[in-house]
Amino acid sequence: MSSALDELRFYGTLAATLLGPRYDLGRVPGPPGHPLLGNITAVMRPDYHVQMLEWANTYGGIFKFSLGFQPVVVVSDPAVAVQVLGRAPGRAIPRKCVGYKFFDLATNASGAHSFFTTSDEGQWAAVRKAAAAAFSSANVKKAFPIALRHLLLVAESLDPAGPHTPGNPYLDLTHHSQQQHQQHQRHPQMQKGDGAAAARMSGGDGSEAAPAGKGDSSSGAASSRWLWRTPDLNWMRSGLSLGFRRRSRSRPGNSTAAAKPASTPPGSATTSTGATANATHAADAAPSASSSFVDLGSSCVGADSSASLASRSSSPSATASAPCSCGRCGANSPRRAVAAATATADTKGGGAERTAAAPAGPAEAEELAAGGVGAGAPGAAAGGRSIHSHPFDCGTDETSSVDETPPHATAAPAAATCTAPAGAGSGSGSATDAGTSASGTIDAESSTGAGTSGNPSGGGTGGGPAAVVDIQEHLELSLLHVFVEALFGVTPEDFPGRQVAADMNLVLEEANSRLKVPLSGLARAVTQPVAQARIRAAQVRLAAVYGSLYDVIRARGPQPEAVTDLWACLGRVRHPRTGELLGRQGLVPEIGALMMAGFDTSSHSVAWALFALAANPEAQQRVRQELDGRGLLRRPGTAAPPRLPVLDDLPQLPYLNACIDEAMRMYPVAATASVREVTEPTRVGDFVIPPGVIVWPMLYALHNSVHNWDQPDVFKPERWLQSNAGGSSSDSGGSSSKGGNEEAGVAGAGGGGAGGARSAAANDEGSGGAAGGLGGGGSGASSRSGSSAALGAAAAAAADGGGGKGGGGGKRYMPFSDGMKSCLGQALGLMEVRTALVVLLGRYAFALDPGHGGEAAVRRSMIMSLTLKIRGGLRLVATPLG
Ligand code: HEM
């Protein structure tokens, strides 16, 4: 229904545009296009943001192109971008968010608009206002220990040779990366994301089994591979775009992949243990050669999953979960008994690394203990349960206790030090006492680095063995876990993280594809019945997960205003007109929108920063020095772990934060967000635009245009360290900062009020989110300022975005967008990014996997899948420091 309406609306707009009065659209510069297809062929490339940037550099800060008959005006002029995004009362650009063309697909199966995509301001305001309270600095503070705990587990997992916290959910990803790395080395064509090669590797019939131990993660691979071979989808690609290839996340995998999981055995002992682990994984491999995405989902996500999650999360069980034995989902295979939460609690320790003589201050100790930081497992905070990244309700009995030593523990050379008792199935700790850890982890932290061989990069700064890891994948999963745990109070064991991540990646890719081809609604249904069925299945699974979270909210009952966790805030949202609490139908799309918004934004931002630092070793070295200065670096030659960071550390690292700013400038993950459609004649810069035209403030072009930045393609963190370092050039924004003229019949789009290059105004994000959105304007506030304030006000100089070409007003740096629909999760996201980098860079030296073919090749592998990411993942060589 909504798709039919979309089509109707499109043709109405088209007719109005063709037959209606003439506007300035014809004067807007832009690339010539095909009379029928417009510029579709040019943007039908996975890195279409690069095409947009090329056009911006050529045609300036406002240019147009067309998708078929749909005209699109792209804005990268800082002043005009702020005006388009901002919202001063009475001067707002009347517009709709065109997200419903693509984003709703990703957030719910019913086609209902969330507040993210709705044109109903009542709905948007109600949800945004409610949710904004959840992103206050107080809540970011609460989320910090959760993020830290997961990121420490990620850090631990990057060293396949080290002892590991039992049940570390990220370790499988490392092993999978290792397998892939080996396969890449044997079959170099795989590195290019060659789908055909993937097919050959896997037998070529699309029936490859999931890689051992990959579980639902591999289902994402299966779906991606499947997409590759779907002829009807290829019609869309190859028919319209010569040479276009989608190489997203092709994860070659077959049953033989299990034969050699570890590519970097640090020594003979590890080699043999690696083989042990390997064999174990082989045993865990999905047994069915026809194992596929849909098979996984349909067999492991039951219809009553909602109730299950609700009951589990609202009533934390004291019984340790045992891994799934279904043999298909692969998550926590039967051989991977997870006993982390049952490890002997050290109520004074509060954390793996901290107990190991880490000089954590008392405040930190309290905070970490309360949040369960350093717990043996993320699930520990909820009463000592184990991690179970598994599609819930797979139909297996998860309460049986399995007393079996995890193979990872045996795989590690220092396994003897990993003394976590396995499988004692009755951990009954509170959040506080569960926040302690197996002592094995302590030793893990202090004993890694013993190995010296097996470094695939042949170098590195540390003494330990290096591993090649797909860091993008680790970060996606871990920060998804942080999202559900911090914002919904659901422990990862109760959440099918891998399946959700795989499904989200799938629907986001599809949504992104629809964004580029607006006329495809009907065409897709006719030409891609099978592909659409798969995507539909992913949507349905995701809807079930969102529904489960809805059940969690309702099962916990109404909460007083003082409870500002996201789940509680959402539970209080009322319908803007009826005043009724939102029911399932109303709230599920909102939950989906929030999860989508927080899913891969932070994780990909971290991945891009790591990429930039891996490609710029001097900058990385300088970050290490800075971390060392604060005791946050594991020093070479010492076994002692670094001090655990506290929240206050984060803004006190100017160089690291400059690197983050610079990485987010060059690679703004939400690069193409903020697509809007004007609904009445509107001035955009010097041009009056007719209704129906899409106006697109393109963050990627804004951040990388030669009109806005000096040497935009050079990674220069220093530009953020100099206050007033703006370039002398003032060619940006100048022409279009004449704000506020409201001609008769023309809505004012020249709102002005864009406060300089970037003011360092600092809002608390909690109120700032609401105020920025509901109070309108906000154009004078730095897009980063709110989070800076929430985190302790980073250097004001950094907030000014030096090195730009200023003078015309507006902002040339807004990775979190700006104005009424700017990022709600900015403070949370930035905290996650900073924490991740402190934890990872304090423990590892990162280099690009040579298999990537160098920095330029990685940059060429950038794809826009609603967020900017690296096709096939970002493989880094992680060398433990110490
Ligand atoms: C570094 C990480 C992040 C970046 C770079 C980022 C960036 C952005 C951008 C550019 C937008 C505007 C999109 C548009 O106008 O269409 C946005 C919106 C949004 N973001 Fe983030 N984001 C990040 C993390 C998060 C996190 C962790 C959450 C938590 C849930 C979140 C929640 C949201 C929400 C709810 C919106 C929609 C606001 C609205 O429509 O009113 N973001 N984000």
Side-chain angles (χ1 to χ4, degrees):
M1 178 65 183
S2 90
S3 135
L5 281 178
D6 282 353
E7 300 276 331
L8 268 180
R9 195 188 50 79
F10 172 80
Y11 286 111
T13 305
L14 173 63
T17 307
L18 292 178
L19 305 175
R22 297 289 107 193
Y23 295 91
D24 293 332
L25 198 58
R27 287 203 300 117
V28 181
H34 186 276
L36 289 177
L37 296 176
N39 306 95
I40 280 186
T41 52
V43 296
M44 275 290 291
R45 47 189 271 194
D47 58 348
Y48 65 91
H49 58 290
V50 174
Q51 177 65 77
M52 302 282 178
L53 175 62
E54 279 168 23
W55 284 336
N57 285 339
T58 306
Y59 299 104
I62 303 176
F63 71 86
K64 77 161 187 291
F65 72 101
S66 60
L67 295 168
F69 295 116
Q70 172 69 64
V72 182
V73 171
V74 177
V75 176
S76 60
D77 178 301
V80 180
V82 165
Q83 292 153 12
V84 170
L85 292 168
R87 183 184 191 242
R91 289 202 304 208
I93 294 181
R95 61 183 182 268
K96 286 186 199 167
C97 174
V98 293
Y100 57 83
K101 282 189 175 159
F102 56 98
F103 197 77
D104 287 334
L105 173 83
T107 60
N108 67 91
S110 66
H113 299 330
S114 66
F115 83 110
F116 196 94
T117 57
T118 186
S119 301
D120 176 348
E121 286 209 12
Q123 179 191 357
W124 167 74
V127 181
R128 178 156 176 130
K129 188 177 176 188
F135 294 101
S136 65
S137 47
N139 282 350
V140 171
K141 198 172 175 188
K142 261 171 61 181
F144 172 73
I146 296 171
L148 181 57
R149 176 159 42 79
H150 282 279
L151 291 164
L152 286 170
L153 286 168
V154 169
E156 177 191 274
S157 78
L158 298 189
D159 182 359
H164 302 106
T165 302
N168 183 329
Y170 311 112
L171 201 52
D172 271 354
L173 300 181
T174 300
H175 286 301
H176 183 240
S177 292
Q178 305 288 80
Q179 290 169 9
Q180 277 207 307
H181 181 65
Q182 281 207 334
Q183 284 183 345
H184 287 160
Q185 285 183 327
R186 287 198 299 268
H187 303 273
Q189 70 273 36
M190 298 289 297
Q191 284 177 196
K192 301 191 175 74
D194 182 335
R200 281 196 299 278
M201 285 287 295
S202 61
D205 60 359
S207 61
E208 58 272 338
K214 282 301 291 174
D216 45 12
S217 184
S218 68
S219 69
S223 60
S224 271
R225 287 194 298 274
W226 178 87
L227 279 170
W228 260 103
R229 287 189 288 275
T230 303
D232 49 13
L233 206 67
N234 284 337
W235 169 86
M236 191 60 75
R237 300 192 183 102
S238 55
L240 290 178
S241 174
L242 285 177
F244 171 80
R245 286 274 175 108
R246 180 187 300 226
R247 294 168 182 167
S248 61
R249 296 211 153 221
S250 177
R251 288 179 189 156
N254 57 23
S255 52
T256 61
K260 278 194 170 187
S263 65
T264 57
S268 57
T270 310
T271 305
S272 62
T273 50
T276 306
N278 196 16
T280 307
H281 278 289
D284 294 343
S288 163
S290 63
S291 172
S292 72
F293 188 71
V294 165
D295 292 340
L296 271 172
S298 59
S299 59
C300 289
V301 179
D304 58 344
S305 57
S306 305
S308 168
L309 177 54
S311 63
R312 284 192 230 171
S313 59
S314 58
S315 170
S317 161
T319 306
S321 299
C324 175
S325 57
C326 74
R328 291 188 303 277
C329 69
N332 281 8
S333 70
R335 292 179 186 271
R336 293 186 55 231
V338 180
T342 61
T344 306
D346 171 1
T347 52
K348 293 175 193 147
E353 297 186 342
R354 185 153 46 83
T355 351
E364 178 191 32
E366 266 176 41
E367 188 173 54
L368 299 188
V373 177
R385 284 180 302 159
S386 57
I387 300 162
H388 197 164
S389 292
H390 176 284
F392 35 86
D393 283 352
C394 72
T396 55
D397 176 13
E398 297 179 5
T399 56
S400 63
S401 176
V402 179
D403 187 355
E404 203 172 341
T405 305
H408 303 314
T410 62
T417 63
C418 183
T419 57
S426 58
S428 59
S430 67
T432 302
D433 61 28
T436 56
S437 175
S439 59
T441 315
I442 303 164
D443 297 331
E445 185 67 12
S446 59
S447 63
T448 51
T452 51
S453 62
N455 181 345
S457 69
T461 59
V468 175
V469 288
D470 176 356
I471 200 73
Q472 198 167 263
E473 198 175 30
H474 284 74
L475 292 164
E476 276 179 6
L477 183 62
S478 58
L479 294 183
L480 186 60
H481 284 160
V482 173
F483 179 94
V484 290
E485 193 173 340
L487 302 183
F488 283 89
V490 170
T491 54
E493 64 172 10
D494 293 321
F495 187 74
R498 290 183 178 183
Q499 181 74 60
V500 170
D503 283 347
M504 281 190 169
N505 276 319
L506 183 67
V507 294
L508 282 171
E509 279 180 32
E510 173 67 6
N512 192 51
S513 165
R514 289 192 185 191
L515 169 67
K516 288 185 289 184
V517 190
L519 251 186
S520 62
L522 193 58
R524 279 165 204 273
V526 173
T527 62
Q528 311 169 2
V530 186
Q532 293 303 316
R534 297 270 177 159
I535 288 154
R536 180 81 190 157
Q539 277 182 294
V540 169
R541 275 192 299 272
L542 287 174
V545 170
Y546 306 147
S548 303
L549 293 173
Y550 172 81
D551 290 332
V552 166
I553 291 171
R554 290 293 170 238
R556 289 171 182 164
Q559 301 292 320
E561 293 282 333
V563 182
T564 59
D565 297 316
L566 183 63
W567 61 267
C569 293
L570 288 176
R572 287 192 291 266
V573 178
R574 293 182 179 274
H575 193 282
R577 279 172 291 281
T578 65
E580 299 287 318
L581 283 181
L582 283 194
R584 177 183 297 275
Q585 235 183 339
L587 213 48
V588 159
E590 310 297 357
I591 294 170
L594 283 156
M595 197 182 287
M596 276 291 166
F599 164 57
D600 54 2
T601 41
S602 307
S603 52
H604 291 178
S605 295
V606 181
W608 281 114
L610 285 173
F611 161 68
L613 289 167
N616 294 274
E618 309 80 32
Q620 194 182 155
Q621 178 56 27
R622 206 172 146 186
V623 169
R624 276 199 289 272
Q625 279 166 3
E626 190 174 73
L627 292 174
D628 198 19
R630 295 188 69 84
L632 296 169
L633 184 84
R634 174 183 288 163
R635 289 201 161 160
T638 66
R643 173 172 74 80
L644 284 180
V646 292
L647 193 60
D648 283 346
D649 281 318
L650 304 183
Q652 308 297 332
L653 298 160
Y655 191 75
L656 176 68
N657 287 324
C659 290
I660 293 172
D661 274 328
E662 183 66 348
M664 288 173 91
R665 179 192 67 76
M666 292 180 77
Y667 312 104
V669 289
T672 61
S674 309
V675 191
R676 307 285 186 266
E677 175 190 317
V678 295
T679 53
E680 57 186 72
T682 301
R683 174 178 289 283
V684 176
D686 286 341
F687 308 103
V688 178
I689 305 296
V693 171
I694 289 176
V695 177
W696 197 345
M698 169 72 69
L699 301 184
Y700 184 76
L702 181 85
H703 285 192
N704 286 281
S705 163
V706 293
H707 301 298
N708 299 343
W709 296 88
D710 293 321
Q711 295 185 293
D713 53 351
V714 179
F715 181 76
K716 279 204 291 189
E718 290 72 22
R719 68 173 101 220
W720 299 94
L721 297 172
Q722 309 151 13
S723 57
N724 302 319
S728 55
S729 169
S730 59
D731 54 357
S732 77
S735 65
S736 40
S737 58
K738 50 166 98 166
N741 308 338
E742 294 198 12
E743 299 168 11
V746 177
R758 283 202 337 169
S759 97
N763 306 325
D764 181 273
E765 178 61 17
S767 54
L774 301 172
S779 50
S782 161
S783 63
R784 183 170 166 273
S785 57
S787 45
S788 295
L791 293 172
D800 283 335
K805 298 178 176 179
K811 298 176 199 169
R812 52 187 177 269
Y813 178 71
M814 44 171 117
F816 297 97
S817 191
D818 195 47
M820 61 189 290
K821 284 179 71 68
S822 63
C823 179
L824 264 184
Q826 177 174 341
L828 176 69
L830 203 50
M831 179 275 283
E832 290 173 338
V833 172
R834 289 169 165 181
T835 307
L837 291 171
V838 168
V839 166
L840 295 176
L841 291 164
R843 288 157 178 77
Y844 293 90
F846 291 97
L848 270 182
D849 173 17
H852 268 305
E855 180 189 358
V858 174
R859 291 186 67 166
R860 282 196 300 275
S861 306
M862 266 196 287
I863 54 168
M864 260 315 298
S865 183
L866 285 191
T867 57
L868 204 60
K869 64 182 184 184
I870 298 168
R871 181 174 52 211
L874 172 60
R875 292 186 309 281
L876 295 180
V877 180
T879 307
L881 301 173

